[in-house]
Amino acid sequence: MSTGRDRSPASGRSPAAAIPAVERLLRDRLVKSLLARHGRAETLVVLRATLADCRAALVAGRLDRAWDVATIADRARVRLETRAAPPLRAVFNLTGTVLHTNLGRAPLAPEAVAAMAAAAGAVNLEYDLAAGERGERDDHLEPLLTELTGAEAATAVNNNAAALLLILNTLALRREVPVSRGELIEIGGAFRLPEIMARAGCRLVEVGTTNRTHARDFEQAIGPRTALLLKVHTSNYQVQGFTASVPEQALAEIAHGHGLPVVVDLGSGSLLDMAPFGLPREPTVRATLAHGADLVSFSGDKLLGAPQAGLIVGRRDLIRRIQRNPLKRALRLDKVTIAALAATLQLYRDPDRLAERLPTLRLLTRSPRELKALAQRLAPALRLRLGELAAVAIEPCLSQVGSGSLPIERLASVALVLRPGGTKRDARRRVESLAHAFRALPRPVVGRIKDGALVLDLRCLTEEDAFLAEIADLETGTLA
Ligand SMILES: *Cc1c(COP(=O)(O)O)cnc(C)c1O
């Protein structure tokens, strides 16, 4: 028997010689069905890769003799199926973060999903059906956005970072933009305001201090090269204690006194007052405009509950300049996103039913009572499946909104808390393999590890039956 060290061909015989030839494989029944399913080119690529694996294993001494035709065909089948699976997989987000950037932020409303499918083919994207001539892609969103925010005009791009880049590049190229030092934000995933400003071609003028910025700081910063005043919502943190910032109204007064526009990056930017839904107050886009902002930008996939997009609303003359910037062409939305965004915005015309119809709002407003009842229905199945491997407890927990929306606020929620048994020393390994087993499910379950337990926050679990079916597949063999 060859060992890992013995790299020479085994004495006298060459096991590699026994590797089936591709021509031989192509006559196999399973391989023929793979050819029919996956096509000739793809199947050949995978067969050759499988043969190469076999050869490498023989050379390394990890195999005594070559795989037979049936083994190679079956390995190729598994590999082909993996390659054919969509890279984006639906997961259960039980992390407790509703708008989880790494898990795709806002879940879309069924109306938005249907609109995306309907827009997949030929549509009147830039075509005026009444006139039979060219139309504008922004025409599908502008009426809705102005209606819902009270703005004169509106446009939309890929995300809020793109919105800010476009605004600054249009209005402040080679000019100065004063920003409070308390608002020089970094949002997770490489959005840093100073860097965006540099790329937009404008010069950042830092104003005030980290904790306190006053109106006079802005007054002193304004000069002949100033293009606009920028206010940025401190989405993902709060400066607390001895603080001062310049309210929008005061900032607008200063700017307008110098003939300059005020731009507000609202981050999440909700279209409705969240207080009636039992959620903390968040500045609305309408209120921000009413306070004197000339332009407001906000994300589509945060509190708004739509797909990824950056919305810009405000003064018509400024919006038209933005639309004429060649960068707008590079940052424009595709038809599928426009369809979903419009369908989501249409839901806001009926605020009374919004909490039922908009998944983001529905998830954010679920009561601990509802979640506790859900936990009680799910716990027996989990206990049955996990047996001695982990204790299953129902415990209160705190969810968060996520994506820098309402950063300090926590929402009372309920979790299934899975605590593996065993000694303290290997507790960490056990909880990690438990979390891994949940992530390895056909539809992965993503929770979070806290104090040696796997915490499954149920706030975002809406498909109860699908979850139970998934649990039945949990691979517990490796957990003991
Ligand atoms: C989230 C956020 C951004 C970035 O928005 P994206 O849509 O993720 O590009 C910019 N500014 C603020 C204040 C934010 O909260």
Side-chain angles (χ1 to χ4, degrees), residues 105 158-162 164 185 187 191 232-236 265-268 297-302 308-310 403-405:
R105 288 198 185 156
N158 237 317
N159 51 34
N160 192 26
L164 202 57
I185 58 165
I187 309 273
F191 174 97
V232 183
H233 190 51
T234 52
S235 296
N236 51 359
D265 169 12
L266 259 191
S268 221
S297 81
F298 52 104
S299 293
D301 55 354
K302 294 187 181 172
Q308 179 187 303
S403 288
S405 311

Side-chain angles (χ1 to χ4, degrees), residues 307-337:
Q308 179 187 303
L311 294 325
I312 310 172
V313 300
R315 252 168 62 189
R316 183 173 294 113
D317 59 325
L318 301 179
I319 294 283
R320 297 294 173 254
R321 280 175 63 192
I322 286 168
Q323 287 168 323
R324 285 195 300 269
N325 185 333
L327 270 184
K328 168 69 165 55
R329 172 65 180 76
L331 303 172
R332 73 183 184 185
L333 286 178
D334 74 296
K335 62 180 179 177
V336 173
T337 304

Side-chain angles (χ1 to χ4, degrees), residues 47-354:
L47 283 175
R48 290 199 177 107
T50 310
L51 292 174
D53 282 354
C54 179
R55 197 168 295 118
L58 286 170
V59 169
R62 281 182 276 111
L63 264 186
D64 285 340
R65 49 195 186 87
W67 295 323
D68 58 14
V69 169
T71 306
I72 290 178
D74 199 56
R75 286 184 171 246
R77 175 188 62 78
V78 171
R79 208 153 162 158
L80 282 162
E81 279 166 11
T82 308
R83 281 167 59 94
L88 285 184
R89 291 167 64 195
V91 303
F92 288 100
N93 170 14
L94 305 192
T95 60
T97 301
V98 179
L99 299 171
H100 198 302
T101 297
N102 305 143
L103 299 179
R105 288 198 185 156
L108 299 181
E111 289 84 352
V113 176
M116 291 170 92
V123 288
N124 58 332
L125 180 61
E126 292 180 355
Y127 189 72
D128 181 337
L129 288 169
E133 56 194 36
R134 194 186 185 289
E136 291 296 327
R137 121 181 3 221
D138 277 347
D139 286 351
H140 304 288
L141 294 171
E142 187 164 33
L144 272 162
L145 284 168
T146 53
E147 175 189 326
L148 294 168
T149 64
E152 283 177 7
T155 184
V157 288
N158 237 317
N159 51 34
N160 192 26
L164 202 57
L165 179 75
L166 186 59
I167 291 171
L168 293 170
N169 182 265
T170 306
L171 304 180
L173 185 61
R174 287 186 285 277
R175 293 173 64 193
E176 293 174 355
V177 176
V179 185
S180 164
R181 286 194 169 93
E183 297 175 1
L184 291 177
I185 58 165
E186 172 180 310
I187 309 273
F191 174 97
R192 304 179 99 190
L193 190 65
E195 290 168 9
I196 294 270
M197 294 182 73
R199 290 292 169 149
C202 61
R203 206 169 80 74
L204 164 65
V205 177
E206 295 185 22
V207 169
T209 63
T210 304
N211 59 329
R212 293 175 71 81
T213 299
H214 306 280
R216 62 171 183 276
D217 296 325
F218 275 101
E219 288 281 8
Q220 284 160 11
I222 293 175
R225 310 256 347 126
T226 308
L228 54 89
L229 298 188
L230 178 63
K231 187 166 179 67
V232 183
H233 190 51
T234 52
S235 296
N236 51 359
Y237 67 97
Q238 265 184 12
V239 182
Q240 289 178 336
F242 185 56
T243 67
S245 63
V246 183
E248 281 151 14
Q249 294 98 319
L251 196 67
E253 233 169 79
I254 298 169
H256 297 162
H258 290 83
L260 300 171
V262 175
V263 174
V264 179
D265 169 12
L266 259 191
S268 221
S270 66
L271 294 180
L272 288 177
D273 181 5
M274 291 286 149
F277 299 104
L279 293 170
R281 262 220 163 78
E282 178 77 349
T284 66
V285 179
R286 186 182 287 275
T288 306
L289 288 167
H291 291 161
D294 297 277
L295 287 177
V296 177
S297 81
F298 52 104
S299 293
D301 55 354
K302 294 187 181 172
L303 278 181
L304 197 66
Q308 179 187 303
L311 294 325
I312 310 172
V313 300
R315 252 168 62 189
R316 183 173 294 113
D317 59 325
L318 301 179
I319 294 283
R320 297 294 173 254
R321 280 175 63 192
I322 286 168
Q323 287 168 323
R324 285 195 300 269
N325 185 333
L327 270 184
K328 168 69 165 55
R329 172 65 180 76
L331 303 172
R332 73 183 184 185
L333 286 178
D334 74 296
K335 62 180 179 177
V336 173
T337 304
I338 292 175
L341 193 50
T344 308
L345 291 171
Q346 282 168 327
L347 297 178
Y348 279 84
R349 287 175 167 158
D350 183 5
D352 300 335
R353 286 196 296 158
L354 195 64

